[in-house]
Amino acid sequence: MNELSQSVGVLSGVGAQTLNRLEKLGIRVIGDLIFHLPHRYEDRTRIYPIASLMPGMMVLISGWVEFVDVLPRGRKSLVCRMADDTSSITLRFFHFNAHQHNQLKPGTLIGCFGEVRQGFNGLEILHPDYRIITHRDVDITESRLTPVYPLTEGIGQTALRKIVKQAINLCNKNTELLMDWVPEKVLKQHAYPTLAAAINTLHAPDEMISVEALQNGNVPALKRLAFEELLAHHLSLRTSRNKAKQWQAPCFNGANQPIVIEQFLKTLPFSLTGAQQRVIKEIEVDCTSLQPMMRLVQGDVGSGKTVVSAYAALLALSAGYQVAVMAPTELLAEQHMRNFSVWFAGFNTQVVFLTGQVKGNARKEILQGLADGSVGIIIGTHALFQESVNFKRLGLIIIDEQHRFGVNQRMALRDKGQQGNMRPHQLVMTATPIPRTLAMLQYSDLDVSIIDELPPGRKPIITSVIPAERRVDVIDRINSWVEKGRQVYWVCALIEESEVLECEAAEKTAELLTLALPKIRVALIHGRMKSADKELVMQAFKNHQVDLLVATTVIEVGVDVPNAGLMVIENPERLGLSQLHQLRGRVGRGDGDSYCLLMYQTPLSDVARQRLGILRDSNDGFVIAEKDLELRGPGEVMGTRQTGAISFRIADLARDADLLDTVHEIAEDIFTNSPQVIQPLCDRWLGASTDYAEV
Ligand code: ADP
Ligand code: MG
């Protein structure tokens, strides 16, 4: 606890209202202000001669008013002609008052800052920042670049600058506050400035630093902060992992295990791929090692992760432990329920399904069964774990599509099965491929297994990119596809943030397609339907009582209907590539060719065209993720829906990927040589969320 963790309310000019507004920017304590960096800078350190201006320049100029008038032509505007010794330029205001009009009398000296643009009559500046110069000798230049901060409604740039300035002055007075925890040799080796110097530079860079370099993140001060932030996250996850190693866990070595496994493998309608067998071996080792397993299984869509998790469940059951399976959506949980019910039908245990919607006696019975141990496997969404569910002997937690859950949720779950020093094993699965370096950071608390092989017989999905104008052709294609006895998905992707709009769009589309395709049985599924209704629709589609399923992106994860070999995705340009790849993974599960039609709205930007091209040309989730990262930056790779993604204040994984190797190296060094800096670093960068390191 020091001044950095004091509320910003102690600063002058920060009342209750400002406090609330700052909170919207994620700023609560003084330390938050320190790391609230400008998103751009303005250079008011020099005065440009007007003759040297070109459109697009952001410049400070100085001169006198030649002429001023209100022009009623078109939109009413106040127009002022300003000159210096070299030339003249127009200043134009659409919002103005009489006072301004009077102030800008001919002959008045003014200084002006703004962006130069091409007007009808030569160059002009729209709504410049300007001030009257009372005396020729007044210097209007600034000695440093001017920071421009991300704002929120009700807080202006000037006000925020003053508040930040106070925070920085505080740090400059008390040098303990920005103590350097990064080992000195690292600073030297990379020519990084001290933390205090970096902070001072970024909030008020001196004129020698170029605005471009700052904006591109290409200055040592910024790199140094990004480095420290990444290091702190990595250290925090690693710490949590080290702590986990000190716990004990059940040993899954039931006496009847070999027989049970044989029986299980016999019920499977296929044999396991080499990759599946390898990952299963890794899980077996973990589950008999007396420390809690913390393993992530990564595998492309359709690589067969579910059966691998079922195998782990089998190990737990045969050793007399219970298993909890958590999925991010009800649809997916229901599907797991179907699979696990079949696979474990021959075993002497109950497989039950629990969501928030299971109520009354049914619920009581399930909770009773968990408490007395007659329920062996429970499957549900995360709601399941927020309830007061008590297990008799929880030995294994399986989390599917881990990227949908937050790190904290994952950690908190472990406590469910806590008994003294014992913790359950944890197996988490994700189909979202992320580039290796990213994975090493994001999952530094987990061991990672990769299923890098698809079951045999899978053919690549043939993807085409088609403009929405060709909708009629697409509909013809659906017709002939259904005539051949096959089924189709039609996915309406809309703005990710709006589930309501997405559902409405899907409803509308279903109506239109029903009209356009009278002979075809059309059904609709979306996230706002009741769970039981969704289940009915999915069952009907599975049983081929429905030919064409119109859906929102709820079917993104897990749905498995082999006869559906054609998917149309509407507005694919609005989704992240990895998400599109996941969606597309719903087809290509049966025999024969399968197709995905990406039907975009015209016009398509160049980048969007390139991105869809990546998807057309590759079926490999990892390749797609890497290329997407090159093109767009990591926010996109992860997809905004991934609550599990770590969000950074300063680091940008696309820009700062080059730091990750050093981060790992230095983290090792810190663990061995200076573990005392771990806690302060985590406190500084993760603040309140550091708690999870303590779980
Ligand atoms: P995902 O990794 O995307 O979760 P699933 O576990 O849903 O994939 O598996 C996709 C499909 O592949 C399922 O129908 C599953 O039964 C099938 N499958 C899994 N493993 C194999 C295998 N070794 N051989 C053939 N089919 C398999
Ligand atoms: Mg799956």
Side-chain angles (χ1 to χ4, degrees), residues 463 465 572-573 575 577 580 598-600 604 607-617 631:
T463 300
V465 182
E573 69 277 9
L575 297 183
L577 283 197
L580 284 168
L598 301 173
M599 199 170 77
Y600 63 88
L604 199 59
V607 175
R609 186 176 302 278
Q610 282 183 49
R611 298 178 73 232
L612 295 183
I614 293 174
L615 219 58
R616 181 192 54 219
D617 299 338
L631 219 52

mmCIF file with all atom_site columns, all heavy atoms in Angstrom, residues 463 465 572-573 575 577 580 598-600 604 607-617 631:
data_model
loop_
_atom_site.group_PDB
_atom_site.id
_atom_site.type_symbol
_atom_site.label_atom_id
_atom_site.label_alt_id
_atom_site.label_comp_id
_atom_site.label_asym_id
_atom_site.label_entity_id
_atom_site.label_seq_id
_atom_site.pdbx_PDB_ins_code
_atom_site.Cartn_x
_atom_site.Cartn_y
_atom_site.Cartn_z
_atom_site.occupancy
_atom_site.B_iso_or_equiv
_atom_site.pdbx_formal_charge
_atom_site.auth_seq_id
_atom_site.auth_comp_id
_atom_site.auth_asym_id
_atom_site.auth_atom_id
_atom_site.pdbx_PDB_model_num
ATOM 1   N N   . THR A 1 463 ? -13.823 -23.822 -49.431 1.00 0.00 ? 463 THR A N   1
ATOM 2   C CA  . THR A 1 463 ? -14.397 -22.536 -49.043 1.00 0.00 ? 463 THR A CA  1
ATOM 3   C C   . THR A 1 463 ? -14.396 -21.573 -50.216 1.00 0.00 ? 463 THR A C   1
ATOM 4   O O   . THR A 1 463 ? -13.395 -21.469 -50.920 1.00 0.00 ? 463 THR A O   1
ATOM 5   C CB  . THR A 1 463 ? -13.577 -21.937 -47.883 1.00 0.00 ? 463 THR A CB  1
ATOM 6   O OG1 . THR A 1 463 ? -13.632 -22.848 -46.781 1.00 0.00 ? 463 THR A OG1 1
ATOM 7   C CG2 . THR A 1 463 ? -14.132 -20.594 -47.442 1.00 0.00 ? 463 THR A CG2 1
ATOM 8   N N   . VAL A 1 465 ? -15.544 -17.464 -51.511 1.00 0.00 ? 465 VAL A N   1
ATOM 9   C CA  . VAL A 1 465 ? -15.891 -16.125 -51.049 1.00 0.00 ? 465 VAL A CA  1
ATOM 10  C C   . VAL A 1 465 ? -16.797 -15.496 -52.099 1.00 0.00 ? 465 VAL A C   1
ATOM 11  O O   . VAL A 1 465 ? -16.415 -15.377 -53.257 1.00 0.00 ? 465 VAL A O   1
ATOM 12  C CB  . VAL A 1 465 ? -14.598 -15.300 -50.862 1.00 0.00 ? 465 VAL A CB  1
ATOM 13  C CG1 . VAL A 1 465 ? -14.912 -13.914 -50.346 1.00 0.00 ? 465 VAL A CG1 1
ATOM 14  C CG2 . VAL A 1 465 ? -13.650 -16.010 -49.895 1.00 0.00 ? 465 VAL A CG2 1
ATOM 15  N N   . PRO A 1 572 ? -19.504 -12.583 -43.216 1.00 0.00 ? 572 PRO A N   1
ATOM 16  C CA  . PRO A 1 572 ? -18.321 -13.138 -42.537 1.00 0.00 ? 572 PRO A CA  1
ATOM 17  C C   . PRO A 1 572 ? -17.302 -12.052 -42.212 1.00 0.00 ? 572 PRO A C   1
ATOM 18  O O   . PRO A 1 572 ? -16.506 -12.216 -41.296 1.00 0.00 ? 572 PRO A O   1
ATOM 19  C CB  . PRO A 1 572 ? -17.756 -14.112 -43.576 1.00 0.00 ? 572 PRO A CB  1
ATOM 20  C CG  . PRO A 1 572 ? -18.210 -13.568 -44.884 1.00 0.00 ? 572 PRO A CG  1
ATOM 21  C CD  . PRO A 1 572 ? -19.573 -12.990 -44.624 1.00 0.00 ? 572 PRO A CD  1
ATOM 22  N N   . GLU A 1 573 ? -17.361 -10.948 -42.959 1.00 0.00 ? 573 GLU A N   1
ATOM 23  C CA  . GLU A 1 573 ? -16.373 -9.887  -42.737 1.00 0.00 ? 573 GLU A CA  1
ATOM 24  C C   . GLU A 1 573 ? -16.485 -9.288  -41.338 1.00 0.00 ? 573 GLU A C   1
ATOM 25  O O   . GLU A 1 573 ? -15.611 -8.561  -40.898 1.00 0.00 ? 573 GLU A O   1
ATOM 26  C CB  . GLU A 1 573 ? -16.495 -8.813  -43.825 1.00 0.00 ? 573 GLU A CB  1
ATOM 27  C CG  . GLU A 1 573 ? -17.762 -7.966  -43.786 1.00 0.00 ? 573 GLU A CG  1
ATOM 28  C CD  . GLU A 1 573 ? -18.980 -8.616  -44.457 1.00 0.00 ? 573 GLU A CD  1
ATOM 29  O OE1 . GLU A 1 573 ? -18.902 -9.810  -44.809 1.00 0.00 ? 573 GLU A OE1 1
ATOM 30  O OE2 . GLU A 1 573 ? -20.013 -7.932  -44.603 1.00 0.00 ? 573 GLU A OE2 1
ATOM 31  N N   . LEU A 1 575 ? -16.680 -11.040 -38.535 1.00 0.00 ? 575 LEU A N   1
ATOM 32  C CA  . LEU A 1 575 ? -16.182 -11.924 -37.485 1.00 0.00 ? 575 LEU A CA  1
ATOM 33  C C   . LEU A 1 575 ? -14.675 -12.084 -37.562 1.00 0.00 ? 575 LEU A C   1
ATOM 34  O O   . LEU A 1 575 ? -14.061 -11.849 -38.593 1.00 0.00 ? 575 LEU A O   1
ATOM 35  C CB  . LEU A 1 575 ? -16.824 -13.308 -37.607 1.00 0.00 ? 575 LEU A CB  1
ATOM 36  C CG  . LEU A 1 575 ? -18.333 -13.377 -37.425 1.00 0.00 ? 575 LEU A CG  1
ATOM 37  C CD1 . LEU A 1 575 ? -18.796 -14.818 -37.506 1.00 0.00 ? 575 LEU A CD1 1
ATOM 38  C CD2 . LEU A 1 575 ? -18.751 -12.771 -36.092 1.00 0.00 ? 575 LEU A CD2 1
ATOM 39  N N   . LEU A 1 577 ? -11.218 -14.211 -37.769 1.00 0.00 ? 577 LEU A N   1
ATOM 40  C CA  . LEU A 1 577 ? -10.919 -15.376 -38.600 1.00 0.00 ? 577 LEU A CA  1
ATOM 41  C C   . LEU A 1 577 ? -11.002 -16.680 -37.827 1.00 0.00 ? 577 LEU A C   1
ATOM 42  O O   . LEU A 1 577 ? -11.492 -17.679 -38.326 1.00 0.00 ? 577 LEU A O   1
ATOM 43  C CB  . LEU A 1 577 ? -9.527  -15.249 -39.211 1.00 0.00 ? 577 LEU A CB  1
ATOM 44  C CG  . LEU A 1 577 ? -9.387  -14.297 -40.395 1.00 0.00 ? 577 LEU A CG  1
ATOM 45  C CD1 . LEU A 1 577 ? -8.104  -14.591 -41.129 1.00 0.00 ? 577 LEU A CD1 1
ATOM 46  C CD2 . LEU A 1 577 ? -10.576 -14.397 -41.328 1.00 0.00 ? 577 LEU A CD2 1
ATOM 47  N N   . LEU A 1 580 ? -14.518 -17.648 -37.468 1.00 0.00 ? 580 LEU A N   1
ATOM 48  C CA  . LEU A 1 580 ? -15.047 -18.180 -38.726 1.00 0.00 ? 580 LEU A CA  1
ATOM 49  C C   . LEU A 1 580 ? -14.571 -19.608 -38.953 1.00 0.00 ? 580 LEU A C   1
ATOM 50  O O   . LEU A 1 580 ? -15.327 -20.469 -39.389 1.00 0.00 ? 580 LEU A O   1
ATOM 51  C CB  . LEU A 1 580 ? -14.604 -17.298 -39.902 1.00 0.00 ? 580 LEU A CB  1
ATOM 52  C CG  . LEU A 1 580 ? -15.354 -15.979 -40.056 1.00 0.00 ? 580 LEU A CG  1
ATOM 53  C CD1 . LEU A 1 580 ? -14.630 -15.074 -41.049 1.00 0.00 ? 580 LEU A CD1 1
ATOM 54  C CD2 . LEU A 1 580 ? -16.785 -16.227 -40.520 1.00 0.00 ? 580 LEU A CD2 1
ATOM 55  N N   . LEU A 1 598 ? -18.681 -18.092 -48.004 1.00 0.00 ? 598 LEU A N   1
ATOM 56  C CA  . LEU A 1 598 ? -18.600 -16.862 -47.228 1.00 0.00 ? 598 LEU A CA  1
ATOM 57  C C   . LEU A 1 598 ? -19.254 -15.750 -48.038 1.00 0.00 ? 598 LEU A C   1
ATOM 58  O O   . LEU A 1 598 ? -18.705 -15.296 -49.045 1.00 0.00 ? 598 LEU A O   1
ATOM 59  C CB  . LEU A 1 598 ? -17.142 -16.517 -46.934 1.00 0.00 ? 598 LEU A CB  1
ATOM 60  C CG  . LEU A 1 598 ? -16.373 -17.591 -46.158 1.00 0.00 ? 598 LEU A CG  1
ATOM 61  C CD1 . LEU A 1 598 ? -14.895 -17.240 -46.068 1.00 0.00 ? 598 LEU A CD1 1
ATOM 62  C CD2 . LEU A 1 598 ? -16.968 -17.771 -44.776 1.00 0.00 ? 598 LEU A CD2 1
ATOM 63  N N   . MET A 1 599 ? -20.437 -15.349 -47.637 1.00 0.00 ? 599 MET A N   1
ATOM 64  C CA  . MET A 1 599 ? -21.218 -14.419 -48.444 1.00 0.00 ? 599 MET A CA  1
ATOM 65  C C   . MET A 1 599 ? -21.144 -13.020 -47.841 1.00 0.00 ? 599 MET A C   1
ATOM 66  O O   . MET A 1 599 ? -21.839 -12.711 -46.886 1.00 0.00 ? 599 MET A O   1
ATOM 67  C CB  . MET A 1 599 ? -22.666 -14.901 -48.510 1.00 0.00 ? 599 MET A CB  1
ATOM 68  C CG  . MET A 1 599 ? -23.432 -14.303 -49.637 1.00 0.00 ? 599 MET A CG  1
ATOM 69  S SD  . MET A 1 599 ? -25.017 -15.134 -49.813 1.00 0.00 ? 599 MET A SD  1
ATOM 70  C CE  . MET A 1 599 ? -25.909 -14.424 -48.485 1.00 0.00 ? 599 MET A CE  1
ATOM 71  N N   . TYR A 1 600 ? -20.266 -12.207 -48.420 1.00 0.00 ? 600 TYR A N   1
ATOM 72  C CA  . TYR A 1 600 ? -19.993 -10.905 -47.815 1.00 0.00 ? 600 TYR A CA  1
ATOM 73  C C   . TYR A 1 600 ? -20.829 -9.788  -48.420 1.00 0.00 ? 600 TYR A C   1
ATOM 74  O O   . TYR A 1 600 ? -21.341 -9.899  -49.525 1.00 0.00 ? 600 TYR A O   1
ATOM 75  C CB  . TYR A 1 600 ? -18.503 -10.574 -47.951 1.00 0.00 ? 600 TYR A CB  1
ATOM 76  C CG  . TYR A 1 600 ? -18.041 -10.450 -49.399 1.00 0.00 ? 600 TYR A CG  1
ATOM 77  C CD1 . TYR A 1 600 ? -18.127 -9.238  -50.078 1.00 0.00 ? 600 TYR A CD1 1
ATOM 78  C CD2 . TYR A 1 600 ? -17.540 -11.551 -50.076 1.00 0.00 ? 600 TYR A CD2 1
ATOM 79  C CE1 . TYR A 1 600 ? -17.711 -9.121  -51.400 1.00 0.00 ? 600 TYR A CE1 1
ATOM 80  C CE2 . TYR A 1 600 ? -17.122 -11.451 -51.400 1.00 0.00 ? 600 TYR A CE2 1
ATOM 81  C CZ  . TYR A 1 600 ? -17.207 -10.238 -52.050 1.00 0.00 ? 600 TYR A CZ  1
ATOM 82  O OH  . TYR A 1 600 ? -16.815 -10.135 -53.349 1.00 0.00 ? 600 TYR A OH  1
ATOM 83  N N   . LEU A 1 604 ? -16.118 -4.537  -50.106 1.00 0.00 ? 604 LEU A N   1
ATOM 84  C CA  . LEU A 1 604 ? -15.278 -5.179  -49.108 1.00 0.00 ? 604 LEU A CA  1
ATOM 85  C C   . LEU A 1 604 ? -13.937 -4.447  -49.085 1.00 0.00 ? 604 LEU A C   1
ATOM 86  O O   . LEU A 1 604 ? -13.354 -4.203  -50.124 1.00 0.00 ? 604 LEU A O   1
ATOM 87  C CB  . LEU A 1 604 ? -15.084 -6.638  -49.527 1.00 0.00 ? 604 LEU A CB  1
ATOM 88  C CG  . LEU A 1 604 ? -14.631 -7.638  -48.477 1.00 0.00 ? 604 LEU A CG  1
ATOM 89  C CD1 . LEU A 1 604 ? -15.617 -7.698  -47.326 1.00 0.00 ? 604 LEU A CD1 1
ATOM 90  C CD2 . LEU A 1 604 ? -14.487 -9.011  -49.107 1.00 0.00 ? 604 LEU A CD2 1
ATOM 91  N N   . VAL A 1 607 ? -8.276  -5.131  -46.685 1.00 0.00 ? 607 VAL A N   1
ATOM 92  C CA  . VAL A 1 607 ? -7.872  -6.028  -45.603 1.00 0.00 ? 607 VAL A CA  1
ATOM 93  C C   . VAL A 1 607 ? -8.891  -7.146  -45.427 1.00 0.00 ? 607 VAL A C   1
ATOM 94  O O   . VAL A 1 607 ? -8.541  -8.322  -45.301 1.00 0.00 ? 607 VAL A O   1
ATOM 95  C CB  . VAL A 1 607 ? -7.710  -5.242  -44.280 1.00 0.00 ? 607 VAL A CB  1
ATOM 96  C CG1 . VAL A 1 607 ? -7.422  -6.191  -43.132 1.00 0.00 ? 607 VAL A CG1 1
ATOM 97  C CG2 . VAL A 1 607 ? -6.604  -4.216  -44.403 1.00 0.00 ? 607 VAL A CG2 1
ATOM 98  N N   . ALA A 1 608 ? -10.178 -6.780  -45.472 1.00 0.00 ? 608 ALA A N   1
ATOM 99  C CA  . ALA A 1 608 ? -11.225 -7.788  -45.304 1.00 0.00 ? 608 ALA A CA  1
ATOM 100 C C   . ALA A 1 608 ? -11.125 -8.842  -46.410 1.00 0.00 ? 608 ALA A C   1
ATOM 101 O O   . ALA A 1 608 ? -11.263 -10.036 -46.166 1.00 0.00 ? 608 ALA A O   1
ATOM 102 C CB  . ALA A 1 608 ? -12.592 -7.121  -45.319 1.00 0.00 ? 608 ALA A CB  1
ATOM 103 N N   . ARG A 1 609 ? -10.834 -8.388  -47.620 1.00 0.00 ? 609 ARG A N   1
ATOM 104 C CA  . ARG A 1 609 ? -10.706 -9.315  -48.743 1.00 0.00 ? 609 ARG A CA  1
ATOM 105 C C   . ARG A 1 609 ? -9.547  -10.280 -48.504 1.00 0.00 ? 609 ARG A C   1
ATOM 106 O O   . ARG A 1 609 ? -9.673  -11.493 -48.666 1.00 0.00 ? 609 ARG A O   1
ATOM 107 C CB  . ARG A 1 609 ? -10.492 -8.519  -50.029 1.00 0.00 ? 609 ARG A CB  1
ATOM 108 C CG  . ARG A 1 609 ? -10.476 -9.343  -51.311 1.00 0.00 ? 609 ARG A CG  1
ATOM 109 C CD  . ARG A 1 609 ? -10.365 -8.448  -52.530 1.00 0.00 ? 609 ARG A CD  1
ATOM 110 N NE  . ARG A 1 609 ? -11.460 -7.477  -52.597 1.00 0.00 ? 609 ARG A NE  1
ATOM 111 C CZ  . ARG A 1 609 ? -12.671 -7.754  -53.078 1.00 0.00 ? 609 ARG A CZ  1
ATOM 112 N NH1 . ARG A 1 609 ? -12.937 -8.941  -53.565 1.00 0.00 ? 609 ARG A NH1 1
ATOM 113 N NH2 . ARG A 1 609 ? -13.614 -6.837  -53.090 1.00 0.00 ? 609 ARG A NH2 1
ATOM 114 N N   . GLN A 1 610 ? -8.431  -9.707  -48.059 1.00 0.00 ? 610 GLN A N   1
ATOM 115 C CA  . GLN A 1 610 ? -7.265  -10.550 -47.765 1.00 0.00 ? 610 GLN A CA  1
ATOM 116 C C   . GLN A 1 610 ? -7.570  -11.561 -46.673 1.00 0.00 ? 610 GLN A C   1
ATOM 117 O O   . GLN A 1 610 ? -7.173  -12.713 -46.737 1.00 0.00 ? 610 GLN A O   1
ATOM 118 C CB  . GLN A 1 610 ? -6.103  -9.686  -47.275 1.00 0.00 ? 610 GLN A CB  1
ATOM 119 C CG  . GLN A 1 610 ? -5.356  -8.962  -48.357 1.00 0.00 ? 610 GLN A CG  1
ATOM 120 C CD  . GLN A 1 610 ? -4.183  -8.214  -47.732 1.00 0.00 ? 610 GLN A CD  1
ATOM 121 O OE1 . GLN A 1 610 ? -3.405  -8.766  -46.962 1.00 0.00 ? 610 GLN A OE1 1
ATOM 122 N NE2 . GLN A 1 610 ? -4.061  -6.941  -48.032 1.00 0.00 ? 610 GLN A NE2 1
ATOM 123 N N   . ARG A 1 611 ? -8.285  -11.110 -45.652 1.00 0.00 ? 611 ARG A N   1
ATOM 124 C CA  . ARG A 1 611 ? -8.581  -11.988 -44.527 1.00 0.00 ? 611 ARG A CA  1
ATOM 125 C C   . ARG A 1 611 ? -9.457  -13.150 -44.971 1.00 0.00 ? 611 ARG A C   1
ATOM 126 O O   . ARG A 1 611 ? -9.190  -14.304 -44.644 1.00 0.00 ? 611 ARG A O   1
ATOM 127 C CB  . ARG A 1 611 ? -9.275  -11.201 -43.422 1.00 0.00 ? 611 ARG A CB  1
ATOM 128 C CG  . ARG A 1 611 ? -8.410  -10.094 -42.868 1.00 0.00 ? 611 ARG A CG  1
ATOM 129 C CD  . ARG A 1 611 ? -9.123  -9.302  -41.812 1.00 0.00 ? 611 ARG A CD  1
ATOM 130 N NE  . ARG A 1 611 ? -9.239  -10.061 -40.585 1.00 0.00 ? 611 ARG A NE  1
ATOM 131 C CZ  . ARG A 1 611 ? -10.371 -10.252 -39.928 1.00 0.00 ? 611 ARG A CZ  1
ATOM 132 N NH1 . ARG A 1 611 ? -11.482 -9.763  -40.380 1.00 0.00 ? 611 ARG A NH1 1
ATOM 133 N NH2 . ARG A 1 611 ? -10.366 -10.944 -38.824 1.00 0.00 ? 611 ARG A NH2 1
ATOM 134 N N   . LEU A 1 612 ? -10.511 -12.862 -45.722 1.00 0.00 ? 612 LEU A N   1
ATOM 135 C CA  . LEU A 1 612 ? -11.372 -13.945 -46.177 1.00 0.00 ? 612 LEU A CA  1
ATOM 136 C C   . LEU A 1 612 ? -10.579 -14.878 -47.090 1.00 0.00 ? 612 LEU A C   1
ATOM 137 O O   . LEU A 1 612 ? -10.806 -16.084 -47.112 1.00 0.00 ? 612 LEU A O   1
ATOM 138 C CB  . LEU A 1 612 ? -12.609 -13.388 -46.875 1.00 0.00 ? 612 LEU A CB  1
ATOM 139 C CG  . LEU A 1 612 ? -13.550 -12.581 -45.959 1.00 0.00 ? 612 LEU A CG  1
ATOM 140 C CD1 . LEU A 1 612 ? -14.788 -12.122 -46.718 1.00 0.00 ? 612 LEU A CD1 1
ATOM 141 C CD2 . LEU A 1 612 ? -13.951 -13.375 -44.728 1.00 0.00 ? 612 LEU A CD2 1
ATOM 142 N N   . GLY A 1 613 ? -9.626  -14.288 -47.831 1.00 0.00 ? 613 GLY A N   1
ATOM 143 C CA  . GLY A 1 613 ? -8.768  -15.097 -48.697 1.00 0.00 ? 613 GLY A CA  1
ATOM 144 C C   . GLY A 1 613 ? -7.958  -16.117 -47.900 1.00 0.00 ? 613 GLY A C   1
ATOM 145 O O   . GLY A 1 613 ? -7.762  -17.253 -48.333 1.00 0.00 ? 613 GLY A O   1
ATOM 146 N N   . ILE A 1 614 ? -7.495  -15.708 -46.734 1.00 0.00 ? 614 ILE A N   1
ATOM 147 C CA  . ILE A 1 614 ? -6.731  -16.610 -45.880 1.00 0.00 ? 614 ILE A CA  1
ATOM 148 C C   . ILE A 1 614 ? -7.563  -17.840 -45.546 1.00 0.00 ? 614 ILE A C   1
ATOM 149 O O   . ILE A 1 614 ? -7.101  -18.979 -45.607 1.00 0.00 ? 614 ILE A O   1
ATOM 150 C CB  . ILE A 1 614 ? -6.345  -15.906 -44.552 1.00 0.00 ? 614 ILE A CB  1
ATOM 151 C CG1 . ILE A 1 614 ? -5.363  -14.770 -44.822 1.00 0.00 ? 614 ILE A CG1 1
ATOM 152 C CG2 . ILE A 1 614 ? -5.769  -16.901 -43.561 1.00 0.00 ? 614 ILE A CG2 1
ATOM 153 C CD1 . ILE A 1 614 ? -5.050  -13.927 -43.603 1.00 0.00 ? 614 ILE A CD1 1
ATOM 154 N N   . LEU A 1 615 ? -8.817  -17.590 -45.254 1.00 0.00 ? 615 LEU A N   1
ATOM 155 C CA  . LEU A 1 615 ? -9.718  -18.668 -44.871 1.00 0.00 ? 615 LEU A CA  1
ATOM 156 C C   . LEU A 1 615 ? -10.006 -19.591 -46.053 1.00 0.00 ? 615 LEU A C   1
ATOM 157 O O   . LEU A 1 615 ? -10.118 -20.803 -45.904 1.00 0.00 ? 615 LEU A O   1
ATOM 158 C CB  . LEU A 1 615 ? -11.028 -18.034 -44.401 1.00 0.00 ? 615 LEU A CB  1
ATOM 159 C CG  . LEU A 1 615 ? -11.704 -18.680 -43.224 1.00 0.00 ? 615 LEU A CG  1
ATOM 160 C CD1 . LEU A 1 615 ? -10.798 -18.715 -42.032 1.00 0.00 ? 615 LEU A CD1 1
ATOM 161 C CD2 . LEU A 1 615 ? -12.962 -17.902 -42.888 1.00 0.00 ? 615 LEU A CD2 1
ATOM 162 N N   . ARG A 1 616 ? -10.119 -18.972 -47.227 1.00 0.00 ? 616 ARG A N   1
ATOM 163 C CA  . ARG A 1 616 ? -10.379 -19.758 -48.428 1.00 0.00 ? 616 ARG A CA  1
ATOM 164 C C   . ARG A 1 616 ? -9.194  -20.674 -48.717 1.00 0.00 ? 616 ARG A C   1
ATOM 165 O O   . ARG A 1 616 ? -9.353  -21.811 -49.116 1.00 0.00 ? 616 ARG A O   1
ATOM 166 C CB  . ARG A 1 616 ? -10.624 -18.817 -49.615 1.00 0.00 ? 616 ARG A CB  1
ATOM 167 C CG  . ARG A 1 616 ? -10.931 -19.515 -50.927 1.00 0.00 ? 616 ARG A CG  1
ATOM 168 C CD  . ARG A 1 616 ? -10.865 -18.531 -52.080 1.00 0.00 ? 616 ARG A CD  1
ATOM 169 N NE  . ARG A 1 616 ? -9.591  -17.830 -52.081 1.00 0.00 ? 616 ARG A NE  1
ATOM 170 C CZ  . ARG A 1 616 ? -9.435  -16.536 -52.376 1.00 0.00 ? 616 ARG A CZ  1
ATOM 171 N NH1 . ARG A 1 616 ? -10.479 -15.798 -52.704 1.00 0.00 ? 616 ARG A NH1 1
ATOM 172 N NH2 . ARG A 1 616 ? -8.248  -15.977 -52.338 1.00 0.00 ? 616 ARG A NH2 1
ATOM 173 N N   . ASP A 1 617 ? -7.979  -20.160 -48.463 1.00 0.00 ? 617 ASP A N   1
ATOM 174 C CA  . ASP A 1 617 ? -6.783  -20.887 -48.868 1.00 0.00 ? 617 ASP A CA  1
ATOM 175 C C   . ASP A 1 617 ? -6.256  -21.864 -47.825 1.00 0.00 ? 617 ASP A C   1
ATOM 176 O O   . ASP A 1 617 ? -5.379  -22.660 -48.122 1.00 0.00 ? 617 ASP A O   1
ATOM 177 C CB  . ASP A 1 617 ? -5.666  -19.894 -49.221 1.00 0.00 ? 617 ASP A CB  1
ATOM 178 C CG  . ASP A 1 617 ? -6.073  -18.996 -50.389 1.00 0.00 ? 617 ASP A CG  1
ATOM 179 O OD1 . ASP A 1 617 ? -6.976  -19.411 -51.142 1.00 0.00 ? 617 ASP A OD1 1
ATOM 180 O OD2 . ASP A 1 617 ? -5.516  -17.895 -50.529 1.00 0.00 ? 617 ASP A OD2 1
ATOM 181 N N   . LEU A 1 631 ? -1.935  -9.671  -40.025 1.00 0.00 ? 631 LEU A N   1
ATOM 182 C CA  . LEU A 1 631 ? -2.770  -8.713  -40.726 1.00 0.00 ? 631 LEU A CA  1
ATOM 183 C C   . LEU A 1 631 ? -3.492  -7.760  -39.784 1.00 0.00 ? 631 LEU A C   1
ATOM 184 O O   . LEU A 1 631 ? -3.757  -6.622  -40.105 1.00 0.00 ? 631 LEU A O   1
ATOM 185 C CB  . LEU A 1 631 ? -3.811  -9.500  -41.522 1.00 0.00 ? 631 LEU A CB  1
ATOM 186 C CG  . LEU A 1 631 ? -4.180  -9.002  -42.896 1.00 0.00 ? 631 LEU A CG  1
ATOM 187 C CD1 . LEU A 1 631 ? -2.946  -8.789  -43.725 1.00 0.00 ? 631 LEU A CD1 1
ATOM 188 C CD2 . LEU A 1 631 ? -5.104  -10.007 -43.560 1.00 0.00 ? 631 LEU A CD2 1
#
